[in-house]
Each structure stands twice: as C-alpha cells, then as structure tokens.
Amino acid sequence: MPNFYGTEVASRLMLGTAQYPSPAILADAFRRSGAGIATVSVRREAGGDRAGQDFWALIKELGVAVLPNTAGCHSAREAITTAHMARELFDTPWIKLEVIGHADTLQPDPFGLIEAARALTDDGFQVFPYCTEDLVLCERLLEAGCEVLMPWGAPIGTGLGLNNIYGLRSLRAHYPDVPMVIDAGLGLPSQAAQAIEMGFDAVLLNTAVAKAGDPAMMAESFALAVQAGALAHAADPMEPRDMAAPSTPVLGKAFL
C-alpha cells in the first residue's frame, strides 16, 4: 500500500470532495470506494461558517485522512498563504500544492510551484505537489524537499486519461523509489488500472466520480480497477512484442 511521508494509506484510491450532487451521495461514494484519502479545497470550504463546519463534520465521519489543497491559487504567495490556513483548519502538515499557471489547461506554473514547495517544506509542511511529468521540474521539486510527486494524467476535469505514456513511464523509471500519484485527467476505471499497472502508487480523481450518473457506483468501479492494476503490476506482466508468438508449441506437431 502507498506510504506518504511515513504514513501508510489503506487504499491506492484518493478522492476529491467537490461537485457531488449532495453530501449523502458524497458519503456513499467514499464508503463504496474504500478511498483512504480525501482532498479538500481550503478556498471552497470556509472553516468558520456553518456550511464549512457541517462539511468538516461529514469528512470526519468518513474516517479517512484529509489532504487539504491550494486549488485555485495562481501564485506562490497565494498558495503559501492558503497552505497556512489549511494547517490551522485541518491540523495536518499535509498539503496538496497547486499553483496554476494557465487558465485554460490549468497546467501548473513550474516556477511558482518550486518556489512555494521550497518555502512550505522549510516551514514543516509535507508537500504533495500537483505537477506535470516533466523530469526537470520533478527533480527540482524533490530538491526542494518534496517526498511525493503528483503528475497529471491530463488536464483537470477532462477525463482524457494518460496523455503522455512515454513521459509518465520515464518519470516512474527515473525515480523508482519516490511515491507517485497520478492526479487529474482520469475519466474511466480502465485508465486508473493502467496507471497502477505502470507502477504508480495511487490515483487521485474527483470529476470522474462526482459527475457520473451514479457517483457511488463509479467510485466502487474505480476501487476495483486500482486493485486489478496493483495485482497486475505485482504479477510482472509480459513485455509487448512486435511479432506474433504461438501460445501452443509447434514442436511435435504433425505436418501433412
């Protein structure tokens, strides 16, 4: 099972908490998914108002670890401020760090991300950076003190799956011992299974479950998919080949 900053998590599936039709459906989706971590947007859930308190009570009832995030931040300074708010609200050093650099694709700002990651790790935070699969960026994030990487599969909310298989495989191979979570862009359970088969430790998704016709059923299907992917990865799957190879040996076959 995944281990993040010394904490073992009971599931390879992580779920976001936004966009669900109702709190009851959100709770049902989490129960059926068995997700071990819930991500929560600090900007969306104010801790002091009644709605924020009700939401926080719901998350506590789920019995899962909370990973606050800095969703919607477009500068390092904004993300750092939001992270400090999150630490006060949720009493955790964990922070999913988002510094958005492009409004249309929601692609991370690599420069702001590194700046914020360095400042937060120096201040005792355990940073989960939302990043691209760029090797240079990821190396700089590790140098800044991050012990987890969260490369995107595709832009947030698109459901396109794993857009850059080569880049993700290269990143996984280059840092085999760094915990990595595919974050954003997954739309189908098969895409989640593929990510785990490739050796990624977990997947994080929100829209694919929250916007499904039956969110709880979709959450359960993703849970089964990551289990299948983990079993396949552990089984050491065969390498693809260019030529056909008979499954039945031809040695000893009669030729007429």
Side-chain angles (χ1 to χ4, degrees):
M1 285 299 172
N3 189 300
F4 304 125
Y5 291 99
T7 298
E8 186 169 277
V9 181
S11 172
R12 297 183 186 277
L13 180 61
M14 304 160 64
L15 286 183
T17 54
Q19 306 182 75
Y20 289 85
S22 71
I25 291 174
L26 183 156
D28 194 23
F30 267 85
R31 280 190 290 267
R32 290 180 63 175
S33 73
I37 292 178
T39 60
V40 179
S41 171
V42 179
R43 297 170 65 89
R44 186 173 58 86
E45 298 301 340
D49 61 20
R50 177 59 186 271
Q53 291 297 328
D54 290 346
F55 178 82
W56 182 220
L58 172 62
I59 297 301
K60 284 183 176 178
E61 290 175 4
L62 296 176
V64 299
V66 175
L67 177 60
N69 68 48
T70 62
C73 293
H74 290 260
S75 70
R77 182 177 180 180
E78 189 179 11
I80 292 167
T81 299
T82 304
H84 281 90
M85 291 170 55
R87 186 160 61 181
E88 286 190 31
L89 287 170
F90 300 106
D91 191 28
T92 176
W94 283 9
I95 191 71
K96 180 191 168 189
L97 179 61
E98 297 184 26
V99 182
I100 301 302
H102 193 273
D104 291 333
T105 64
L106 302 181
Q107 180 169 326
D109 172 359
F111 309 104
L113 189 62
I114 294 167
E115 178 186 347
R118 183 175 291 112
L120 290 172
T121 54
D122 286 347
D123 198 24
F125 283 87
Q126 296 173 340
V127 178
F128 295 64
Y130 163 61
C131 57
T132 65
E133 69 279 10
D134 183 272
L135 280 170
V136 177
L137 168 59
C138 289
E139 183 174 359
R140 296 295 184 270
L141 289 169
L142 295 173
E143 291 172 352
C146 299
E147 297 181 15
V148 177
L149 295 172
M150 302 185 76
W152 67 352
I156 294 171
T158 61
L160 292 173
L162 306 179
N163 269 359
N164 185 359
I165 297 292
Y166 170 79
L168 290 169
R169 286 192 188 279
S170 297
L171 179 63
R172 179 70 283 181
H174 201 73
Y175 298 110
D177 299 323
V178 175
M180 292 189 195
V181 181
I182 293 294
D183 176 16
L186 300 182
L188 293 171
S190 57
Q191 297 163 352
Q194 182 183 20
I196 303 299
E197 286 171 3
M198 289 167 58
F200 287 90
D201 298 273
V203 296
L204 170 58
L205 50 119
N206 190 163
T207 308
V209 169
K211 290 299 186 180
D214 187 329
M217 184 182 295
M218 185 60 77
E220 184 176 355
S221 69
F222 269 99
L224 295 172
V226 298
Q227 291 176 29
L231 286 172
H233 180 69
D236 190 17
M238 63 172 283
E239 292 291 331
R241 60 180 78 192
D242 293 329
M243 300 294 292
S247 57
T248 303
V250 296
L251 184 65
K253 178 182 176 181
F255 289 90
L256 303 176

